[in-house]
Amino acid sequence: MPRPLSEAPHLSGRLPKDHAEVPISQADAPPVDTFAVQPRGKGRSAKLWKPKHVYFTAGAWEEAHGRRIAERLDALGLNYEVMKANRLPKLGGSTTRETYQKAKNTLAIVNAPPSTMKLTPIPPSADWQFHLAKGCPAHCQYCYLAGSLSGAPVTRAYANLDQILENNANFIDPNKQLTSFEASCYTDPLGIEHLTGSLSRTISWFGTQPDARLRWVTKYDDVSALLDLHHNGQTRCRISLNADWVTRRLEGGTADLEARLQAMRKLGQAGYHVGAVLAPLMPFDNWQDDYTDLLQRLREALDFEVDLTFELITHRFTPGSKQILLDWYPNTALDFDEDKRSKKLNKFGSHKFVYQKEQMKELKGWFTEEVEARFPEAEVLYFT
Ligand code: SF4
């Protein structure tokens, strides 16, 4: 069960390794209500992110897509700095909180390094993962990026997009009917689309690749730029959905549940394959009621024929991600009690904490049954 707010731990004051002692202005602070419980939404769109600090590395500035991003920034009236070399200025603050605030207000336009051109598999989601960016401006208090990306949580968008897409072509397996590519392992690509245009270009590129399929996922809702693209049915747009209880308390800076449902409806009506990523599933008090409400509303939003999949992902954390998240969100309502969890080892010898066997069984049974009852036409891809 979630921990009452009064029992939440306090900011430890520890600094991640790469912190520098650079003061930041109060202007970097996120809006006061970013971490507050949001009112039950009736379609509150996510605020378009306008970073206060934007940097281009020298290499990124040379790229055609880098210049396209600059044009977007100009149109939005956002200032940026072009660095003389391929290094960014020090982005840390003097406390964990300052670093967090500054980083979440910073966009860096860089080139994806050569190592990222060697794609890696991402089961069970897709054959390959590739990246348009690393980092995300939202403030989800369980964010999986906390454990997988090191350093200050700056958003780095890639300027060498043309090279990234051409490289994908090398990974289309001629012996398979279709090769799938996941674009949102390290970012929410829609959350920065108004600044980069990278997702639109990527969807259009996949539209020209009959043997490849694109998958991406978001908690944002401004899909207007995607609706008229020539996607050729070769992209599955997934929306990350959760119970109102979770969305209102733990997903700062994102669109509310209703806005996401409406975004999904628009994408389905635009001929995209769509997906509901129900994540992270949490057994908070009376969870069945809230999740029933979610499934009901999803059914109402998708009251037409559409190709639909479900992915069901329970909440998990690692010791490292727990520490970082508690530093960032010391008053979180998220339950990080290790005594209530099971340890799951991975092949590299580290571990994560997942719900205990009986609880997992209950969640799996309930969600599988409820989804199948309401969405007999949909495919549940996995429960984890
Ligand atoms: S939207 Fe996704 S990537 Fe962004 S903060 Fe939330 S969980 Fe993390």
Side-chain angles (χ1 to χ4, degrees):
M1 293 306 105
R3 179 180 41 241
L5 288 176
S6 56
E7 291 176 21
H10 295 288
L11 189 64
S12 72
R14 281 188 317 101
L15 296 177
K17 284 186 217 107
D18 67 341
H19 279 218
E21 304 291 315
V22 179
I24 62 163
S25 78
Q26 280 299 312
D28 283 315
V32 174
D33 65 358
T34 299
F35 306 118
V37 179
Q38 302 293 318
R40 192 180 167 90
K42 293 196 175 138
R44 179 186 42 77
S45 289
K47 211 171 154 195
L48 288 185
W49 184 47
K50 293 199 175 163
K52 295 197 167 67
H53 315 278
V54 184
Y55 304 101
F56 283 81
T57 59
W61 187 249
E62 295 304 316
E63 294 287 338
H65 193 60
R67 295 306 177 94
R68 289 183 208 118
I69 293 174
E71 279 170 25
R72 285 174 177 262
L73 297 170
D74 289 337
L76 288 164
L78 294 175
N79 295 324
Y80 49 84
E81 197 178 326
V82 181
M83 311 308 290
K84 289 201 175 72
N86 286 328
R87 293 186 54 191
L88 296 171
K90 286 200 170 150
L91 298 168
S94 59
T95 63
T96 300
R97 186 163 179 76
E98 280 187 1
T99 296
Y100 175 86
Q101 287 170 345
K102 183 170 185 186
K104 284 284 184 178
N105 271 305
T106 301
L107 172 67
I109 318 299
V110 302
N111 282 339
S115 60
T116 59
M117 301 299 160
K118 192 170 181 311
L119 304 193
T120 52
I122 177 74
S125 176
D127 294 314
W128 302 110
Q129 56 176 309
F130 71 106
H131 309 290
L132 305 177
K134 282 192 178 178
C136 169
H139 305 272
C140 300
Q141 296 175 24
Y142 51 75
C143 181
Y144 57 95
L145 296 183
S148 40
L149 297 182
S150 58
V154 169
T155 300
R156 292 173 169 80
Y158 293 142
N160 52 341
L161 179 64
D162 300 337
Q163 187 192 355
I164 291 169
L165 295 177
E166 281 163 25
N167 181 61
N168 283 348
N170 300 328
F171 287 81
I172 298 173
D173 186 344
N175 299 315
K176 283 183 77 170
Q177 203 182 350
L178 292 172
T179 305
S180 56
F181 294 77
E182 168 70 61
S184 34
C185 291
Y186 287 149
T187 190
D188 186 316
L190 191 62
I192 53 174
E193 178 63 4
H194 58 295
L195 302 168
T196 67
S198 302
L199 180 59
S200 298
R201 288 187 82 80
T202 302
I203 290 173
S204 299
W205 185 84
F206 273 91
T208 66
Q209 306 293 320
D211 301 330
R213 292 291 181 271
L214 171 66
R215 298 158 56 71
W216 63 278
V217 63
T218 187
K219 289 188 177 70
Y220 285 80
D221 68 312
D222 183 5
V223 293
S224 50
L226 313 184
L227 300 181
D228 295 326
L229 298 176
H230 294 292
H231 57 78
N232 283 331
Q234 282 155 210
T235 290
R236 186 175 298 276
C237 307
R238 291 125 78 218
I239 306 287
S240 174
L241 301 170
N242 215 315
D244 242 351
W245 189 95
V246 176
T247 301
R248 289 166 55 209
R249 283 168 180 79
L250 303 176
E251 298 181 343
T254 63
D256 77 3
L257 176 56
E258 191 55 35
R260 284 185 228 173
L261 291 171
Q262 291 312 314
M264 196 165 171
R265 178 180 172 86
K266 286 180 203 163
L267 290 165
Q269 287 176 332
Y272 283 101
H273 297 181
V274 294
V277 178
L278 305 189
L281 302 174
M282 295 179 195
F284 52 87
D285 287 339
N286 302 322
W287 58 272
Q288 292 97 333
D289 293 348
D290 249 22
Y291 282 113
T292 298
D293 174 64
L294 163 65
L295 293 175
Q296 200 88 25
R297 288 162 71 183
L298 177 59
R299 181 71 281 177
E300 284 161 23
L302 299 182
D303 60 352
F304 52 94
E305 204 176 308
V306 63
D307 186 308
L308 172 67
T309 56
F310 281 85
E311 291 155 81
L312 308 174
I313 305 170
T314 55
H315 178 241
R316 66 263 334 272
F317 60 87
T318 64
S321 68
K322 171 181 172 177
Q323 193 54 61
I324 293 169
L325 290 166
L326 288 177
D327 282 351
W328 288 352
Y329 310 109
N331 297 317
T332 186
L334 194 50
D335 189 352
F336 280 118
D337 187 347
E338 294 171 14
D339 292 339
K340 295 190 209 148
R341 302 282 184 140
S342 291
K343 258 189 192 181
K344 194 171 175 184
L345 290 171
N346 69 19
K347 59 183 175 187
F348 305 111
S350 56
H351 63 273
K352 58 189 164 193
F353 291 98
V354 299
Y355 292 118
Q356 291 179 353
K357 206 169 161 194
E358 278 309 302
Q359 196 138 54
M360 286 294 255
K361 205 171 146 199
E362 187 187 8
L363 288 166
K364 184 174 184 179
W366 191 88
F367 277 99
T368 311
E369 211 168 285
E370 295 294 322
V371 167
E372 283 173 0
R374 285 186 178 76
F375 304 90
E377 78 281 21
E379 187 183 358
V380 178
L381 298 180
Y382 57 88
F383 172 95
T384 185

